[in-house]
Amino acid sequence: PVSVLEVVPSPIRPTFTAYGRVESSNVTHLRTDLVAEVASVNVREGDWVEKGHVLMTLDDAELRLDLMERQAELRQLEANLASTRIEQQMFEESTEHFSSMRQVALKKLERHQDLMAKRLISQSLLDEVTAQANQANIDYQTHMRALADFPNRLAAQQAAVERVSAQVGQVELDIEKTRIIAPYGGPILNVFVAPGDRSNIGAILVDIASADAFEVRVQIPERFGEGLYDNLIHSRPVTATTAEGLTLELSRLSSQVRKGQSGLDAFFGLDVQQGAPDTALGRMLELTITLPEEAAVVALPVQSIYENDRIYAVKEMSVSEGAELDGISQEFRLQAITIERVGEAQSADGQHRILVRSPAISAGQRIITTQLPRAISGLLVEPA
């Protein structure tokens, strides 16, 4: 005697149960590169904050004194640069004067040389005029050399102004860094300092997780990995439901099998709820994962499956004449059907079912749901 189930192939969405851990792909360890006293701490572990919220502040008194010193140095350098530009303008305006003096001295020297050639003046007077012409020429060359050097002086002073200006900007940036700002909204995981502590360069001040990056990491059995990947690349939604009623959607699959595991990790996006215990980082959740609809499948109890790839249908056969026993003209024998397992599902009454598919399964066919130790095609059975 065997129990049987009459089946009708139909579209069914496979489901299976798995356990996952709540994680966040964005957990930031906020640090500082300043050495300063902690002035205030505005959050505690477990608090939820919005993006831009001031988590804590560092004392900026020393930085503001440094800023004043840098700003004073910058003003001095800017004044020097302005003075050099005025000096350059004056040199440019006096160039014609030096050129005129040089020309006058040279012409005077020519006249005295003519007079000397006619022996109308003494040699000492010619020497004096020659010295005056040489001095006028030297003054002109000195003036032109100084004028030519002004671009270099201005470039050097401009570079000094830009260097100190950058130092001012760096100090202003450091002052801004004394306000530790939340880079995004989410929960505060850890706070490592208190008012009065002194921060160290590179030391972690606070840990914060992004509320938009919460997800559930689920280890997927190997037999489901290929199907999930296929659904993911073809943009077919794969959803999961928690016992608390949260609905999650598959966002990505891991590209490696972690040590000590046999399957891939799947990541389901989680719409985090502020303060809800079921969305706390690290919590384990039981998920019912629903795959896209599979066509022409039947749901059978585990007892119907033999060696993972075979089921048995009950075939009604006529008893040959003369072989009838006790007036029975019909007999029932098993017929093996090779199947493809496509997933699992829950029946309406919560029973676990295996989803199978085969072209040999037809509507109205009766499949045995009794696990026989020696089932074989042709075995005589009595359906109950």
Side-chain angles (χ1 to χ4, degrees):
V2 294
S3 58
V4 296
L5 177 66
E6 188 173 303
V7 298
V8 176
S10 59
I12 300 178
R13 295 172 65 91
T15 62
F16 64 93
T17 300
Y19 289 88
R21 183 184 299 275
V22 178
E23 299 179 354
S24 176
S25 58
N26 284 345
V27 175
T28 301
H29 310 290
L30 294 177
R31 308 170 188 265
T32 181
D33 53 3
L34 304 176
V35 178
E37 182 177 314
V38 177
S40 65
V41 178
N42 306 323
V43 292
R44 295 177 297 175
E45 181 180 344
D47 287 347
W48 279 70
V49 297
E50 298 297 328
K51 180 179 179 180
H53 184 82
V54 180
L55 306 179
M56 59 183 63
T57 57
L58 306 179
D59 183 53
D60 62 357
E62 294 180 7
L63 290 172
R64 292 196 177 278
L65 290 175
D66 190 19
L67 177 62
M68 292 174 61
E69 181 180 354
R70 299 294 180 185
Q71 288 174 334
E73 184 179 358
L74 178 61
R75 289 193 296 270
Q76 179 181 355
L77 290 173
E78 289 174 339
N80 293 341
L81 178 60
S83 178
T84 302
R85 285 174 176 161
I86 293 174
E87 186 179 357
Q88 180 189 27
Q89 182 179 357
M90 294 179 65
F91 264 66
E92 290 173 346
E93 293 174 353
S94 63
T95 299
E96 185 177 350
H97 171 72
F98 278 94
S99 178
S100 176
M101 290 178 62
R102 176 171 173 267
Q103 292 298 325
V104 170
L106 291 176
K107 289 179 180 180
K108 183 178 180 181
L109 177 60
E110 290 177 0
R111 290 195 303 271
H112 279 72
Q113 287 174 339
D114 290 341
L115 293 173
M116 182 64 187
K118 297 176 180 179
R119 298 185 180 277
L120 297 177
I121 60 173
S122 64
Q123 181 65 41
S124 60
L125 181 58
L126 178 61
D127 291 343
E128 183 180 348
V129 172
T130 301
Q132 291 174 356
N134 290 338
Q135 184 61 50
N137 190 55
I138 291 172
D139 291 343
Y140 176 77
Q141 295 296 334
T142 301
H143 174 80
M144 294 305 293
R145 183 169 57 251
L147 190 60
D149 191 49
F150 268 104
N152 297 328
R153 292 174 58 188
L154 290 173
Q157 292 181 352
Q158 182 64 42
V161 168
E162 292 175 356
R163 182 179 64 254
V164 176
S165 179
Q167 293 173 353
V168 170
Q170 181 62 56
V171 177
E172 290 175 340
L173 181 60
D174 287 343
I175 291 176
E176 185 65 26
K177 288 180 181 178
T178 60
R179 300 168 69 250
I180 310 302
I181 305 297
Y184 37 64
I188 301 298
L189 305 182
N190 295 290
V191 178
F192 297 98
V193 294
D197 287 343
R198 194 162 184 84
S199 65
N200 294 318
I201 296 177
I204 300 176
L205 303 177
V206 60
D207 290 342
I208 180 174
S210 172
D212 295 331
F214 271 57
E215 57 191 9
V216 179
R217 180 195 291 265
V218 183
Q219 185 181 351
I220 299 297
E222 189 172 353
R223 64 182 184 273
F224 297 114
E226 184 175 349
L228 285 177
Y229 179 76
D230 183 67
N231 289 317
L232 195 61
I233 63 175
H234 289 95
S235 300
R236 293 193 291 263
V238 176
T239 60
T241 305
T242 68
E244 293 79 6
L246 296 177
T247 299
L248 297 69
E249 185 168 331
L250 179 67
S251 58
R252 69 187 192 281
L253 288 172
S254 173
S255 57
Q256 64 176 348
V257 178
R258 294 196 297 174
K259 186 177 181 180
Q261 294 185 353
S262 59
L264 288 175
D265 286 342
F267 298 89
F268 289 82
L270 179 61
D271 184 11
V272 66
Q273 301 176 31
Q274 181 173 337
D278 53 342
T279 59
L281 281 179
R283 179 170 181 181
M284 294 297 297
L285 298 178
E286 181 180 356
L287 302 178
T288 300
I289 299 174
T290 303
L291 302 176
E293 193 175 77
E294 294 283 352
V297 296
V298 296
L300 298 174
V302 177
Q303 296 89 338
S304 297
I305 311 301
Y306 289 80
E307 298 178 2
N308 287 324
D309 65 350
R310 189 169 70 256
I311 61 174
Y312 288 96
V314 175
K315 184 177 182 181
E316 186 177 355
M317 305 179 66
S318 299
V319 178
S320 60
E321 190 175 345
E324 295 181 4
L325 183 63
D326 296 332
I328 298 177
S329 60
Q330 299 286 77
E331 63 183 15
F332 301 92
R333 295 188 180 273
L334 297 184
Q335 180 182 20
I337 298 176
T338 301
I339 58 161
E340 171 196 0
R341 291 185 58 161
V342 297
E344 303 171 7
Q346 299 287 334
S347 64
D349 57 358
Q351 298 297 315
H352 183 67
R353 293 290 184 263
I354 307 297
L355 301 183
V356 302
R357 180 164 48 208
S358 173
I361 300 177
S362 58
Q365 202 167 26
R366 291 186 294 177
I367 308 298
I368 69 168
T369 59
T370 301
Q371 187 69 210
L372 299 177
R374 295 182 180 180
I376 189 174
S377 290
L379 181 65
L380 183 64
V381 295
E382 180 182 352

